[in-house]
Amino acid sequence: MSIAGNIARVYEKIAAACARVGRDPQTVTLVAVSKTQPPEAILAAAAAGLQHFAENRVEEAGEKIPQIHLPSVHWHMIGHIQSRKAKFVPQLFEVAHSVDTVKLAGKLSESAAAAGKRLDVLVEVNVSGEQSKSGFQAQNWAIENAIFAQLCQEVGQIIALPNLRVRGLMTMAPMTETVEDTRPVFASLAELQAALAAALKIMLPDLSMGMTDDYPVAIEEGATLIRVGRAIFGERQR
Ligand SMILES: *Cc1c(COP(=O)(O)O)cnc(C)c1O
């Protein structure tokens, strides 16, 4: 299958998932995860119409992004950001999905200010409680008041930063036996988004959730940004 053919198939599945729950497919942004893929693959996907691309390592992005000279392309950072690399993020990316501590948010705001920019961010939340996942701890947020109060406080601090624009929440679903098992995780993130927006009296329009194996379920549960790699580019290069 060609990259263009793969993209067409993904769009068909997006449309089908939207139809199942009565959503407008325009409300879902396909973010192509190009980590490990060469610039030629990115150019092929852009030629097929994709405008949003994501990388998960600052170093790799710093090498690849300057090679893609297309004004139509918007870059998203989706991987864990080490403190000392935060300064490069606003120069390379328009959106960071992986803001997982208040301290990192502060660093990103400072670097965005230094670059004369405002960075769009998503707050990464760990709703499944899986140990290996980063993100703000949010397992049991719906039943333990202290956890929700803590999240409100942390998200409130990030919102107050001058050079960030908080667009919403992001999560990684745990590896599961069957794709249906990811549904409660996505549903919980959507509920948390609504609860935080109400408590903090802010707009949190975006939900970044869903990857190759589970994006249709994520869309059914309200994803507005899906991060899809292998379904577009095939298996990773390394
Ligand atoms: C690699 C990656 C993806 C895409 O994974 P696929 O299974 O290839 O679709 C999505 N989100 C994050 C954070 C990733 O690191």
Side-chain angles (χ1 to χ4, degrees), residues 31-35 37 54-57 77-80 97-98 124 170-172 208 210-215 226-236:
V31 181
V33 179
S34 54
K35 64 189 186 198
Q37 303 294 342
E55 289 286 331
N56 72 330
R57 291 176 55 238
M77 174 60 186
I78 58 170
H80 177 68
H97 294 228
S98 39
E124 183 173 354
M170 178 272 217
T171 204
M172 303 262 290
S208 168
M211 321 195 336
T212 289
D213 293 326
D214 53 25
Y215 70 88
I226 54 170
R227 311 178 307 265
V228 179
R230 288 166 299 134
I232 293 171
F233 296 109
E235 287 307 314
R236 279 186 258 292

Side-chain angles (χ1 to χ4, degrees), residues 10 28 45 69 93 169 205:
V10 171
V28 178
H69 304 283
F93 300 96
L169 305 181

